[in-house]
Amino acid sequence: MILFFPYALALIIVILTVIQVIVFRKNRKPGKIAKKFAILAIVFGTLHLICDFFPFDYNGPDGIDYIGQAVAFGFFVNAIIYSTLIVYLNFAIAATIYAVKAIKKNEKRRQNILFIIFSWIFALVVAGILVTNVIFDKVQKKSIKVEVKEVYSVTDYEGDPAVMVVLDFYNGTRSEVSYLSMVYGEVSQDGREIYGTVTADSYMEPDYEIEPVSPGSSIEIRKYYKLKDPSKPVKIMCSSYGGDVVYVDGEYEIS
């Protein structure tokens, strides 16, 4: 429940703001109310930018067993970032409503125009950040390369037929990334997804999926899947999360 606390707090603030806007809608000095909301918008806009540029880092244990913990932490950080954005927009809208009312009453026209400008300047910065992030994310994804090197027939720990898929993961970005953080993979047979397994020796292999790969470097990834029919090929699909960039999509004979 603590993961949703920032959203709940943001919702409460939005509701209270709406109530205030309704209560003070006939106030004779809307400029003063516009000033109050503009200051709150500036405060929360600044807070949002700080959270966005300097997010809290996960300092818990590393490894595949703690990925859920890291994901939950990341969700909480994102909740704070988006909640501060929601609250900021809430106050910016309220400031604009009362500043416009004040301008219509010829109440310190320049001052109220400045309230509107200061209230929305953070929105322009946030929009710029979002556009930059989208472009950067696309470039990052397209700088990754995944190649299927080998598809071997093996036996899993239960003695059932399985397949070992050997992938080459190349990091063409300018920062350290891991296979797991950048690539979503799926292996299927006869149109149905087949699921991961382990062999008698594979559990001793290093977990290269979470290994950070330096810019310009490659790493070999080995993955094991339980087969439905050892005589039929498998379809391997690797893409970015979201599926907007596809790295591998084809059928491979099992050797």
Side-chain angles (χ1 to χ4, degrees):
M1 291 298 292
I2 193 171
L3 297 179
F4 297 97
F5 177 75
Y7 290 120
L9 185 60
L11 180 60
I12 291 171
I13 293 173
V14 170
I15 292 172
L16 291 176
T17 305
V18 171
I19 292 172
Q20 279 198 315
V21 169
I22 294 171
V23 170
F24 295 116
R25 68 186 184 281
K26 294 182 179 180
N27 193 284
R28 293 182 179 180
K29 294 185 177 179
K32 287 187 177 181
I33 301 174
K35 181 180 180 181
K36 179 183 73 171
F37 283 128
I39 291 172
L40 288 171
I42 291 169
V43 170
F44 277 92
T46 304
L47 184 60
H48 170 73
L49 291 181
I50 291 172
C51 292
D52 206 6
F53 278 111
F54 307 102
F56 311 105
D57 292 325
Y58 174 72
N59 295 316
D62 296 325
I64 193 76
D65 294 334
Y66 298 94
I67 285 179
Q69 209 169 295
V71 169
F73 183 85
F75 181 86
F76 183 73
V77 171
N78 283 334
I80 294 175
I81 292 173
Y82 289 122
S83 296
T84 53
L85 177 60
I86 291 168
V87 173
Y88 156 67
L89 292 173
N90 164 71
F91 287 133
I93 292 170
T96 302
I97 291 171
Y98 281 99
V100 169
K101 284 187 176 183
I103 290 170
K104 287 180 177 179
K105 288 186 173 184
N106 294 317
E107 182 188 332
K108 297 181 180 179
R109 185 182 181 86
R110 286 187 180 180
Q111 178 178 289
N112 285 287
I113 290 174
L114 286 175
F115 289 157
I116 295 174
I117 293 172
F118 286 133
S119 294
W120 289 103
I121 194 167
F122 291 97
L124 295 175
V125 174
V126 170
I129 292 172
L130 289 175
V131 171
T132 302
N133 285 345
V134 168
I135 295 172
F136 176 76
D137 183 62
K138 195 74 172 181
V139 171
Q140 284 274 96
K141 290 175 179 178
K142 287 189 174 182
S143 299
I144 295 295
K145 292 181 181 178
V146 181
E147 180 185 352
V148 179
K149 295 177 67 177
E150 295 170 311
V151 181
Y152 279 126
S153 175
V154 295
T155 302
D156 72 4
Y157 72 103
E158 293 180 326
D160 295 328
V163 63
M164 178 179 73
V165 177
V166 182
L167 303 168
D168 183 75
F169 172 72
Y170 171 74
N171 177 17
T173 71
R174 296 183 179 181
S175 56
E176 279 193 347
V177 297
S178 67
Y179 174 87
L180 189 63
S181 67
M182 298 298 293
V183 180
Y184 168 76
E186 187 177 291
V187 178
S188 59
Q189 200 174 42
D190 282 339
R192 295 183 179 180
E193 185 178 358
I194 57 176
Y195 299 99
T197 186
V198 293
T199 66
D201 300 322
S202 65
Y203 73 93
M204 299 179 65
E205 295 177 358
D207 193 357
Y208 289 120
E209 286 190 64
I210 61 173
E211 188 78 20
V213 181
S214 301
S217 300
S218 299
I219 194 170
E220 185 177 277
I221 307 293
R222 295 186 179 187
K223 297 176 73 66
Y224 302 86
Y225 299 89
K226 190 182 290 286
L227 287 172
K228 294 181 181 294
D229 187 342
S231 64
K232 293 183 178 180
V234 292
K235 182 177 180 182
I236 301 173
M237 191 280 292
C238 296
S239 69
S240 61
Y241 290 98
D244 50 331
V245 179
V246 178
Y247 306 116
V248 174
D249 188 8
E251 281 198 340
Y252 297 83
E253 295 292 337
I254 302 172
S255 58

